[in-house]
Amino acid sequence: MTTRRSLIAGNWKMHKTGDEAVQTVQQLKTLVADAGDVEVMVAPPFTALTQVATTLAGSTIALGAQNMHWEAKGAFTGEIAPAMLVSAGCRYVIIGHSERRQFFGETDATVNRKIHAALAAGLSPVFCIGESEAQRDAGQTFSVLDKQVKNGLEGLFSKDLQSLVVAYEPIWAIGTGKTATNDQAQEVHAHLRRLMAEILDNTLAQTMRILYGGSVNPGNVKGLMAMPDLDGALVGGASLDPETFSQLVHYQG
Ligand code: PGA
């Protein structure tokens, strides 16, 4: 059986100034110092990245960004290029979060360009996909996800995608307190792994980490993480407080 190292990732969204972020990771560094089996990542806002990177020096906590532009440089007011994230100390970048799709006009096509650009810059994309409640109710979950995956990964092959992380985040579960049940999440993750085997290759499908996201909290994390195809979590609200986030990282015991 393939062993995939779990990744517990905190998406801080538009929370925390630089100083607040530093304070959080100072506590977090100590709290998760013993979490060897589980990889930990935090994605602060852009303005806190360099301060957090400095604070994390020597720790095993990885740094991620929440978004980026696909172009390397140019007249794109307000955007951040992949190399800027790398030089700020990022290893990961979240791409295509449903809030980006919903509020900022991101599409499968822009997500695809961003994944290409992130990989070219040596960043590991955390590629977010998920269905709305209406789509789930209409029985369209798998078809919606298949389309997001195929469009998002267009033009990429398994050799390019070794560092790709997928995050399945049902939109109806994000920030709502409504989590997918363990079985609902497992059903989708197993489906996604089969899809990866079909469109890429089976070895990559078996090693690729597929995270679950949407109202993960200390009360539900253990059950979710016990499912065979869930390889970690992308956490919003419950990642902001270091004590709570540390409980998620320590879901095993
Ligand atoms: P939530 O957010 O944990 O607050 O539901 C998850 C996410 O948006 O990544």
Side-chain angles (χ1 to χ4, degrees):
M1 217 191 93
T2 318
T3 48
R4 295 176 293 266
R5 188 171 177 221
S6 294
L7 172 62
I8 302 290
N11 170 14
W12 291 357
K13 308 192 179 182
M14 199 170 72
H15 294 282
K16 298 185 192 287
T17 62
D19 291 344
E20 289 163 352
V22 164
Q23 224 177 34
T24 304
V25 288
Q26 266 165 350
Q27 292 179 51
L28 197 61
K29 263 195 338 185
T30 316
L31 288 164
V32 305
D34 60 346
D37 301 353
V38 173
E39 188 181 356
V40 182
M41 182 267 265
V42 290
F46 292 131
T47 46
L49 287 174
T50 49
Q51 271 171 279
V52 170
T54 306
T55 314
L56 288 179
S59 118
T60 55
I61 301 174
L63 187 64
Q66 300 174 18
N67 179 34
M68 52 161 241
H69 192 55
W70 59 81
E71 292 288 349
K73 61 170 86 158
F76 301 104
T77 302
E79 293 293 330
I80 306 280
M84 296 172 187
L85 298 182
V86 173
S87 101
C90 291
R91 192 184 314 159
Y92 289 96
V93 59
I94 299 170
I95 305 272
H97 189 280
S98 66
E99 286 150 18
R100 302 287 325 161
R101 296 179 190 251
Q102 199 179 336
F103 303 130
F104 302 101
E106 294 207 11
T107 62
D108 287 349
T110 60
V111 167
N112 178 249
R113 295 179 85 160
K114 290 182 182 197
I115 294 176
H116 276 271
L119 291 165
L123 290 159
S124 298
V126 179
F127 169 32
C128 300
I129 54 173
E131 82 286 2
S132 68
E133 189 152 39
Q135 289 165 334
R136 176 164 281 266
D137 291 345
Q140 295 166 348
T141 300
F142 288 174
S143 61
V144 166
L145 295 172
D146 289 5
K147 188 159 162 271
Q148 288 174 350
V149 168
K150 286 179 187 165
N151 291 342
L153 299 183
E154 203 180 307
L156 293 161
F157 303 95
S158 57
K159 66 172 173 34
D160 310 312
L161 293 170
Q162 301 297 320
S163 75
L164 184 84
V165 176
V166 172
Y168 167 57
E169 301 204 299
I171 297 168
W172 48 271
I174 296 179
T176 57
K178 263 201 239 175
T179 326
T181 64
N182 300 341
D183 290 339
Q184 277 175 329
Q186 168 58 25
E187 182 189 31
V188 169
H189 282 232
H191 172 82
L192 290 172
R193 208 175 296 286
R194 278 194 301 273
L195 177 68
M196 293 299 176
E198 194 186 300
I199 64 172
L200 296 162
D201 75 56
N202 189 48
T203 311
L204 181 67
Q206 296 311 317
T207 52
M208 183 180 283
R209 291 184 293 185
I210 307 179
L211 314 184
Y212 170 78
S215 298
V216 175
N217 63 45
N220 59 29
V221 68
K222 194 168 179 176
L224 286 163
M225 293 305 117
M227 304 313 281
D229 286 295
L230 272 69
D231 309 314
L234 182 56
V235 186
S239 72
L240 296 172
D241 172 61
E243 299 271 354
T244 311
F245 190 53
S246 162
Q247 287 178 42
L248 300 182
V249 171
H250 291 98
Y251 67 86
Q252 282 159 322

